[in-house]
Amino acid sequence: MKYVFPVLAVLLFAPGTAAMAADLAVAVNNTSGRPVAFAVVTWTPAGGAVIPAAEKGRAFVMAQKNVQFTPYVLAVPTGATVAFPNMDRVNHHVYSFSPAQPFQFPLYGKGKSRTMKFDHPGTVALGCNIHDSMSAYIRVVDTPYYATTGADGRVTLSVPEGAGSLAVWQPNQEAPERQTAKNMTVGKANAVQTFSIKVRQVAPTAGQY
């Protein structure tokens, strides 16, 4: 009997006993049924999730090119570092007044880059102190399960089976904190989860968040 408990401990905590992964397809449309781009889709397990160091260490880039930020929306995990290279022939002064991560990069020119580590989840709205038409968003998420929709408004996440929260954030979504979420349970096979969100049609401007 003295071997029963050690064996049970191995069975309970061995890597093979972790929740099985499942594909979770998500479609984000506006109220007219058209796909919505730049929507950050996240899955947060009910018990939370640890973000692997390898995920935090990925190369995340918010470039300045053609006098605009690219991409318009960048999703990163908490603890990630983002590079801000200037690919334009003009100087830029990047800043954010967002509570999640206020910062400034004073004027720097072509071929130069700056970096910033984002330690707190939330939304960071970006602007350029020289070019008021430039704006973009960094969405810092506290889960390793996330993706950003493209022109087709769709993503597929590989997530652990079980209960959790599925959320859609989009910078122009007319909803509290610009996010819509629902609780659900992921199984081996899952229907496509469709979100119909109200998105206001506005021209991007710096510092609108």
Side-chain angles (χ1 to χ4, degrees), residues 184-206:
M184 61 176 290
T185 299
V186 172
K188 290 183 174 61
N190 306 281
V192 176
Q193 301 299 307
T194 300
F195 284 79
S196 179
I197 65 175
K198 188 175 182 180
V199 179
R200 70 178 188 276
Q201 300 300 318
V202 296
T205 57

Side-chain angles (χ1 to χ4, degrees), residues 63-69 85-96 105-110 125-136 204-208:
Q64 300 132 64
K65 187 176 181 180
N66 298 323
V67 196
Q68 64 182 354
F69 290 108
N86 184 352
M87 300 179 179
D88 281 329
R89 290 180 294 178
V90 297
N91 291 345
H92 291 296
H93 181 137
V94 179
Y95 72 90
S96 177
F105 295 143
L107 284 174
Y108 62 105
K110 182 179 180 179
L126 304 174
C128 175
N129 202 35
I130 307 302
H131 307 97
D132 290 341
S133 62
M134 292 176 63
S135 70
T205 57
Q208 65 174 295

